[in-house]
Amino acid sequence: MTDTTATSAAALAPAQAAPSAPSAPAAFAADAEIERAMDAIDFDSVTSEFKSQDAFIYLEKFLPRTVTDQLIAAARAVTPNVNRNYLPGHKQGGSVSRHTLDELAPFVAELYRSPALMRFLERLAGEKLLPSPKEDPHAYALYYYTRPGDHIGWHYDTSYYKGRRYTLLLGVVDQSSCKLEYRLHTRNSGAPQVDGAVAYPPGALVFFDGDKLHHRITPLGDNEERISLTFEYVTDPRMGTWQRFISNMKDAIAYFGFRQVFRQVLQRTKR
């Protein structure tokens, strides 16, 4: 199995805000740090790698440390709200949906909409990206691997939207032997399949087209812990009624629980 060469961006120290400056949401205040980190990236090289790997890239160092620290704090704050699932032969682990994060860890939502981050991802994808609709619990979510054997099997991040859905993975906590294993070009008849594996530590980034990358997370070992953050962006936020029902059922059964997913649906119908 061959590993993809990691591309690194240096995390620079945060800029000092003027004492008289009005307060801003934390993630938007961090935009200057993210912009500086972007400046350190050889963007032509990263873009070339992204395209040659059929819309997949891994950056071992991406987020500034100050931003990563806030994500770690957010992940710890919502730990009591983790919903655990076990699907025999496919997955075992815990997750916290965007609805809970909106209430208890708003920094995650702010980072999801960071202008600097979205500009960077759009340049990579080569097209306009939009946030997932507010009813989508998968728009941004934390995933917890905390018990031996926690894992997720081979899958695609299938888009039920009319357009493409891009997945951004950010490392938050990684004290584990887990790996993101992937297969490139499985749906590209013009190129041979390429297998790879990476561990993404705190601050690392993985970005890919969800319908193209076949991937899994290998099982957690004893006395290990891993927490990752997923952002989903779309090119067309429209979704048919039947597709929305399928998506909601999948999220309720496999990730966030019926109460979390369908509470939002009931709230919308009562308005």
Side-chain angles (χ1 to χ4, degrees), residues 6-10 30-51 55-64 111-130 166-170 203-208 231 233:
T7 309
S8 298
D31 256 20
E33 298 174 60
I34 295 174
E35 288 278 17
R36 289 188 181 96
M38 303 304 97
D39 289 343
I41 293 174
D42 181 347
F43 196 81
D44 289 340
S45 175
V46 169
T47 302
S48 176
E49 187 174 355
F50 181 76
K51 291 179 178 177
F56 168 84
I57 193 69
Y58 166 63
L59 302 176
E60 185 179 14
K61 296 180 181 179
F62 179 76
L63 287 178
L111 181 63
Y112 176 70
R113 297 178 178 85
S114 161
L117 178 62
M118 291 195 68
R119 282 195 300 271
F120 173 75
L121 299 178
E122 285 180 339
R123 287 181 65 193
L124 265 182
E127 57 186 330
K128 179 68 176 177
L129 299 182
L130 300 169
Y166 286 88
T167 298
L168 172 67
L169 306 179
L170 296 171
L205 168 150
V206 178
F207 182 59
F208 58 91
F231 289 168
Y233 300 96

Side-chain angles (χ1 to χ4, degrees), residues 15-24:
Q16 297 296 318
S20 59
S23 60

Side-chain angles (χ1 to χ4, degrees), residues 19 29 37 48 60 72 87 91 93-94 98 101 124 145-146 149 158 188 200 202 210 228 232 243 246-247 259 271:
S48 176
E60 185 179 14
I72 294 171
L87 297 179
K91 76 178 292 289
R98 64 91 52 83
L101 296 174
L124 265 182
Y145 299 74
T146 55
T158 303
N188 182 1
Y200 51 104
S228 65
E232 304 281 3
Q243 285 76 16
I246 294 174
S247 180
R259 182 178 180 182
R271 291 171 188 161

Side-chain angles (χ1 to χ4, degrees), residues 24-189:
F28 292 119
D31 256 20
E33 298 174 60
I34 295 174
E35 288 278 17
R36 289 188 181 96
M38 303 304 97
D39 289 343
I41 293 174
D42 181 347
F43 196 81
D44 289 340
S45 175
V46 169
T47 302
S48 176
E49 187 174 355
F50 181 76
K51 291 179 178 177
S52 70
Q53 296 183 140
D54 202 18
F56 168 84
I57 193 69
Y58 166 63
L59 302 176
E60 185 179 14
K61 296 180 181 179
F62 179 76
L63 287 178
R65 183 69 210 187
T66 52
V67 176
T68 303
D69 286 345
Q70 292 184 74
L71 290 180
I72 294 171
R76 298 303 186 198
V78 300
T79 297
N81 303 88
V82 170
N83 183 76
R84 286 193 59 86
N85 296 91
Y86 173 58
L87 297 179
H90 180 57
K91 76 178 292 289
Q92 174 183 306
S95 51
V96 176
S97 81
R98 64 91 52 83
H99 304 309
T100 299
L101 296 174
D102 285 344
E103 296 174 8
L104 302 177
F107 175 78
V108 176
E110 294 161 4
L111 181 63
Y112 176 70
R113 297 178 178 85
S114 161
L117 178 62
M118 291 195 68
R119 282 195 300 271
F120 173 75
L121 299 178
E122 285 180 339
R123 287 181 65 193
L124 265 182
E127 57 186 330
K128 179 68 176 177
L129 299 182
L130 300 169
S132 297
K134 62 182 180 180
E135 64 268 20
D136 188 341
H138 248 114
Y140 38 94
L142 283 163
Y143 297 94
Y144 292 73
Y145 299 74
T146 55
R147 299 179 186 176
D150 281 357
H151 71 285
I152 186 166
W154 289 105
H155 67 287
Y156 296 94
D157 289 354
T158 303
S159 176
Y160 294 98
Y161 290 96
K162 293 184 181 297
R164 282 172 295 286
R165 185 172 76 169
Y166 286 88
T167 298
L168 172 67
L169 306 179
L170 296 171
V172 180
V173 173
D174 188 21
Q175 299 168 354
S176 78
S177 56
C178 290
K179 294 289 189 296
L180 168 70
E181 293 187 347
Y182 57 87
R183 298 165 175 164
L184 304 178
H185 307 298
T186 58
R187 293 178 168 174
N188 182 1
S189 59

